[in-house]
Every structure is written in structure tokens, then in C-alpha cells.
């Protein structure tokens, strides 16, 4: 049955490898179960209900992705877009969280429409292969930076914006230990090296926690919970009247959610596709329409349950790097998200930033290898790739990096007289990107 569903032999994979990859992806993503309720809680939402919505929506969307598209890509409420939800739409613009959920629901419906009609696939396939490689590498740098930041290795600085920490905190030292061990395992080509590195880091963390060190992963007193209440379920229905009371704001909010989800998803799928053979000889994503449809279904499901936009997670690359090639990886991750409903105390206690940071950093290193495929002898690709990578890190946004990279590419092609080689879709997207940046000044 598994062979029929996921074509394991054709993909040169097996059940054991896919399950390990799914577990690795889950561990790399599990932080969202703790972070998302915290961020949406600032918008006034019930933390436990958001936790439930996060786990269930991630489980459903990941299963749909695995079964429908056969992609090793897991989904969950996205980082960045949850901050947009809380700090811009709710706290910044003064809307209720119900209205914000309504806008997420509508953006998901629009995604469904343009996914079914093939518009999303057409746009993604119009991206030049050189830019796809730069996007994939840029995301690698981005997630490595996220891992270093979350672990406390890189910290804020008033004089230089960011700087290296003093490396004296036990949790920081645990993360450094994990990074060193994981790099060593991957360098020696140990099978499932990223997963083993995370596991060893977690074990060392538990031991340190048992010795009384603060901030370490610890086994909770209560292992299982049976509280499945969800006060946010269906609450988006109460937000439509408020949302439509200001049509211009409504448009800006929905467009912002659309933009961030669209290009975060595009960047993630392209990056993972390059890593696991989902890009064909034409440079196009195989079965992209199915993957994009699964992503749209996830967004709608998440809004109904009561969470911000569900999107394809770039942390899925951690599972790909340990051998995940099929939808069985995503399905395994989805099942683990469902199980996390019952073992939420354990998940929240052990999946700390120090444990997940090594996977993010090492996977980022592996993804950065895609820069080798960029034609650095052609300036238009050099400048577009450089801006894409740099902007993702410095603006802390995959979408901003893609947008600025596209605009730079078009300008360079125009200046070199090669504008006829630029797809009409790219020119249209440039206009959309410019409007997006302008809209940020209005909210």
C-alpha cells in the first residue's frame, strides 16, 4: 500500500528512511507548537486553543501534502506571518483577532482558486532557474541565521545591530555542542546525521537539566493531556462584518497575507525541490499544482480552526537531508503533529531552541551549496542572487528577499538590453512587488 501511495522504489527510498525523515522534520518544526500560541496570545487569543489549532492544522495540511502531492514537505502556521497577524493587523491596525482570522480565511480561498486554475504554478515556473537556485541558497542562509538567533549564539547589539554572544549561557553552549556534533556527523556522511545530532543534543540537554542547569530541556511532570477544548474554532465567522467595514484596509490586509504566503511557499518548494529531485529538466516543479493546492487547503483549515496562515515549512529541508523523498515523510510529520495533541507537555519541554538550532544551521549550510549552480560570470544573475540572499537575512523575510531579487534581476536585464528575455510574468510580478512595498507604508 505504501509503495502504491508514495512510489518508494521509483524514488529510491524506503519506509525506514522516510519515517526517520518525517521525525526529523517534526523535531525541527516542533518549536511552532510553543511559539505560535505565544505570538497569537499577544493578540488576545486563548493559548491552549491556538496550540490545538496549530497541531491539528499542521497534521491535516501535512497529510494532504503527502497524499495529494507526494512531496516531503510538512506544513504548519508560518513564522513571520503570525507576527504580521498579531503585531500589524491586530495590535497595529486595531482589528480584532476574529477579523484577522477572517482575512486569513479569505486569502486561503483565493489561494484555492488560483491554485486550481494553475496561476500559482505558472508564476513559480516562470522564475528563472538561476533565481531559483539563489532563492534556495538564500533560504539556507536565512534558516541558519534563525537557528543561531533562536539559540542565543547571535544576539542584538545597539552598536552593530547583531553580534556574537559571550557564549557563557548553558543553553548557548548546548546549541554550540549540537552544531559541532551535527557538522561532524554530516561531514562523515553518517546516515541521518542531522537527526542523530538533534537526538544527542536533546539527551545531553536532559542530562544537564537533571543536574539543575536552567533553560535546558527537561521531562515534564505531566506527560499526557486530555484537554481538547478549542474556543477559536469557527471564530473567523464573527470577523467578517468588522473586516468589510473598511474596504481599503480589508484589501491591504488580505493582499499582505497573500503576498507573504505565496512567496514563502514558492521559495520553500523551489528550495526543497532542488534538493530532492522535484525539479524537471525544464527547471519546473513536478506536480506543483498539487503541492500548491495542499498549501491552500492548509491555510483555509487553519483559519477555520483558529490560527494564522498555514504554509509549507522550510524546516522540511532537515527531513530531506536525512533522506526524505516522498510524501511518506510529510505524512509521518503530520501524524506526529496529531500525536503532539496528547503529548504536548513533552513536546514543549524538549523541543527547545538549543535542540533545534543545530539542525537549522547544518541544513542551512547544505542548502547554501546551491549557490554553486548560479552563473556568477553573468552580472544580472550575480546581482540578483546577491540581493536575494542578503535581503532575506537582513530583512528577516524570505518574501522580501524574493521580491528585491526579482526587481534587481529585471533592472539588470533592462540595463544590459536583455529585457526581451524576461518573462511577462516577471514584469507583472515586479509591479506587484512594488505595490506590496508601498502598501507596507500604509499599514
Amino acid at each position: 500500500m505504501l509503495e502504491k501511495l508514495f512510489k518508494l522504489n521509483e524514488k529510491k527510498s524506503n519506509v525506514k528512511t522516510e519515517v526517520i525523515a518525517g521525525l526529523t522534520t517534526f523535531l525541527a518544526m516542533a518549536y511552532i507548537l510553543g511559539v505560535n500560541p505565544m505570538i497569537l496570545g499577544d493578540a488576545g487569543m486563548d493559548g491552549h486553543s491556538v496550540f490545538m489549532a496549530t497541531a491539528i492544522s499542521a497534521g491535516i495540511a501535512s497529510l494532504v501534502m503527502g497524499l495529494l502531492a507526494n512531496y516531503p514537505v510538512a506544513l504548519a502556521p508560518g513564522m513571520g506571518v503570525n507576527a504580521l497577524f498579531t503585531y500589524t493587523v491586530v495590535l497595529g491596525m486595531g482589528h480584532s483577532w476574529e477579523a484577522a482570522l477572517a482575512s486569513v480565511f479569505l486569502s486561503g480561498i483565493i489561494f484555492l482558486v488560483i491554485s486550481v486554475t494553475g496561476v500559482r504554478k505558472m508564476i513559480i515556473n516562470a522564475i528563472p532557474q538561476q533565481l531559483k537556485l539563489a532563492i534556495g541558497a538564500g533560504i539556507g542562509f536565512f534558516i541558519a541565521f534563525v537557528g543561531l538567533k533562536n539559540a542565543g549564539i547571535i544576539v542584538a547589539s545597539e552598536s552593530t545591530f547583531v553580534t556574537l554572544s559571550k557564549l557563557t549561557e548553558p543553553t548557548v553552549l548546548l546549541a554550540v555542542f549540537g552544531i559541532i556534533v551535527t557538522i561532524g556527523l554530516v561531514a562523515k556522511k553518517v546516515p541521518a546525521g542531522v537527526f542523530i545530532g538533534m537526538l544527542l543534543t536533546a539527551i545531553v540537554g536532559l542530562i544537564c537539566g537533571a543536574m539543575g542547569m536552567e533553560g535546558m530541556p527537561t521531562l515534564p511532570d505531566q506527560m499526557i493531556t486530555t484537554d481538547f477544548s478549542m474556543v477559536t474554532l469557527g471564530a473567523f465567522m464573527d470577523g467578517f462584518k468588522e473586516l468589510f467595514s473598511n474596504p481599503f484596509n480589508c484589501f491591504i490586509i488580505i493582499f499582505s497575507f497573500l503576498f507573504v504566503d505565496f512567496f514563502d511557499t514558492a521559495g520553500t518548494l523551489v528550495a526543497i525541490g532542488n534538493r530532492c529531485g522535484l525539479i524537471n529538466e525544464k527547471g519546473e516543479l513536478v506536480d506543483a499544482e498539487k503541492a500548491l493546492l495542499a498549501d491552500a487547503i492548509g491555510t483555509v483549515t487553519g483559519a477555520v480552526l483558529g490560527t494564522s496562515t498555514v504554509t509549507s515549512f522550510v524546516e522540511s529541508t532537515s527531513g530531506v537531508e536525512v533522506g526524505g523523498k516522498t510524501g511518506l515523510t510529510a505524512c509521518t510529520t503530520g501524524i506526529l503533529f496529531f500525536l503532539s495533541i496528547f503529548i504536548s507537555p513533552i513536546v514543549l519541554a524538549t523541543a527547545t531552541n538549543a535542540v533545534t538550532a543545530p539542525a537549522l544551521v547544518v541544513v542551512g549550510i547544505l542548502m547554501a551549496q546551491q549557490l554553486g549552480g548560479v552563473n556568477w560570470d553573468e552580472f544580472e544573475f550575480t546581482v540578483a542572487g546577491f540581493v536575494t540572499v542578503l535581503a532575506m537575512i537582513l530583512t528577516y523575510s524570505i518574501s522580501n528577499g524574493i521580491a528585491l531579487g526579482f526587481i534587481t534581476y529585471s533592472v539588470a536585464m533592462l540595463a544590459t538590453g536583455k529585457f526581451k528575455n524576461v518573462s511577462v510574468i516577471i514584469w507583472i510580478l515586479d509591479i506587484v512587488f512594488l505595490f506590496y512595498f508601498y502598501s507596507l507604508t500604509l499599514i
Side-chain angles (χ1 to χ4, degrees):
M1 181 185 68
L2 293 177
E3 171 60 32
K4 183 177 180 180
L5 283 174
F6 304 111
K7 303 177 182 177
L8 297 173
N9 290 333
E10 180 182 324
K11 299 285 187 178
K12 297 180 181 180
S13 187
N14 56 69
V15 174
K16 178 182 178 181
T17 298
E18 296 292 318
V19 170
I20 290 176
L23 176 58
T24 301
T25 297
F26 172 76
L27 289 174
M29 293 175 60
Y31 69 87
I32 196 65
L33 292 170
V35 174
N36 203 47
M38 179 183 67
I39 292 178
L40 298 192
D42 289 344
M45 300 180 70
D46 177 73
H48 173 74
S49 185
V50 173
F51 175 91
M52 293 291 294
T54 300
I56 295 174
S57 63
I60 292 174
S62 297
L63 284 175
V64 172
M65 178 66 81
L67 295 172
L68 180 63
N70 199 23
Y71 271 36
V73 178
L75 300 91
M79 289 295 294
V81 71
N82 52 9
L84 173 67
F85 181 103
T86 294
Y87 303 115
T88 298
V89 176
V90 176
L91 299 181
M93 302 178 71
H95 288 287
S96 66
W97 58 264
E98 291 89 349
L101 284 178
S103 63
V104 171
F105 176 82
L106 291 175
S107 71
I109 294 297
I110 295 173
F111 268 140
L112 277 173
V113 173
I114 63 177
S115 296
V116 171
T117 56
V119 174
R120 288 181 83 182
K121 177 185 176 181
M122 181 175 63
I123 293 173
I124 291 176
N125 287 337
I127 303 173
Q129 180 64 13
Q130 297 286 318
L131 279 182
K132 287 179 180 177
L133 292 171
I135 289 170
I139 291 176
F141 282 98
F142 176 77
I143 65 172
F145 179 70
V146 170
L148 293 171
K149 170 184 172 294
N150 289 348
I153 297 173
I154 298 296
V155 295
S157 168
E158 291 185 1
S159 57
T160 60
F161 293 105
V162 293
T163 188
L164 185 69
S165 72
K166 295 181 179 179
L167 304 179
T168 55
E169 292 292 328
T171 53
V172 173
L173 292 175
L174 176 63
V176 171
F177 163 81
I179 292 171
I180 293 172
V181 169
T182 306
I183 287 176
L185 292 170
V186 174
K188 290 182 67 65
K189 301 187 184 302
V190 175
V194 175
F195 169 71
I196 295 174
M198 292 176 63
L199 186 61
L200 290 175
T201 305
I203 292 173
V204 171
L206 288 171
I207 294 173
C208 292
M211 295 171 62
M213 294 186 183
E214 295 184 359
M216 293 292 174
T218 56
L219 291 177
D221 296 330
Q222 181 184 358
M223 298 291 185
I224 298 175
T225 182
T226 55
D227 181 6
F228 306 135
S229 60
M230 292 182 64
V231 297
T232 58
L233 179 64
F236 75 99
M237 294 292 293
D238 299 327
F240 284 120
K241 182 177 179 180
E242 176 190 337
L243 185 65
F244 291 130
S245 64
N246 189 327
F248 180 75
N249 268 8
C250 174
F251 172 77
I252 293 297
I253 293 169
I254 294 174
F255 177 79
S256 297
F257 280 128
L258 279 169
F259 179 89
V260 174
D261 188 24
F262 189 107
F263 289 100
D264 274 5
T265 298
T268 297
L269 293 180
V270 166
I272 294 174
N274 280 324
R275 297 299 299 178
C276 62
L278 293 173
I279 303 291
N280 61 26
E281 62 277 2
K282 297 180 180 179
E284 299 175 345
L285 277 167
V286 178
D287 290 329
E289 65 279 358
K290 294 180 180 179
L292 296 169
L293 180 60
D295 185 87
I297 291 172
T299 294
V300 174
T301 302
V304 172
L305 292 170
T307 185
S308 53
T309 304
V310 173
T311 186
S312 301
F313 252 59
V314 71
E315 284 84 354
S316 300
T317 50
S318 61
V320 171
E321 294 302 334
V322 300
K325 297 179 180 178
T326 76
L328 182 54
T329 292
C331 288
T332 300
T333 302
I335 291 171
L336 290 171
F337 268 114
F338 282 127
L339 292 176
S340 69
I341 296 170
F342 302 96
I343 59 171
S344 58
I346 298 177
V347 172
L348 294 176
T350 58
T352 63
N353 287 328
V355 173
T356 59
L360 296 180
V361 172
V362 175
V363 169
I365 294 171
L366 294 169
M367 291 180 67
Q369 292 176 331
Q370 296 180 57
L371 283 178
V374 176
N375 185 1
W376 296 104
D377 294 328
E378 299 288 339
F379 182 74
E380 54 268 27
F381 294 130
T382 299
V383 66
F386 177 83
V387 170
T388 298
V389 173
L390 195 64
M392 282 190 190
I393 302 171
L394 297 185
T395 69
Y396 207 73
S397 169
I398 293 173
S399 299
N400 287 345
I402 293 174
L404 292 172
F406 270 50
I407 293 172
T408 305
Y409 167 75
S410 300
V411 170
M413 293 293 281
L414 183 63
T416 55
K418 301 178 182 178
F419 59 91
K420 292 183 179 180
N421 295 331
V422 179
S423 168
V424 173
I425 294 176
I426 299 298
W427 291 115
I428 294 173
L429 288 176
D430 288 337
I431 296 173
V432 173
F433 294 145
L434 291 172
F435 175 78
Y436 168 71
F437 288 128
Y438 171 71
S439 70
L440 294 180
T441 67
L442 304 176
I443 58 177

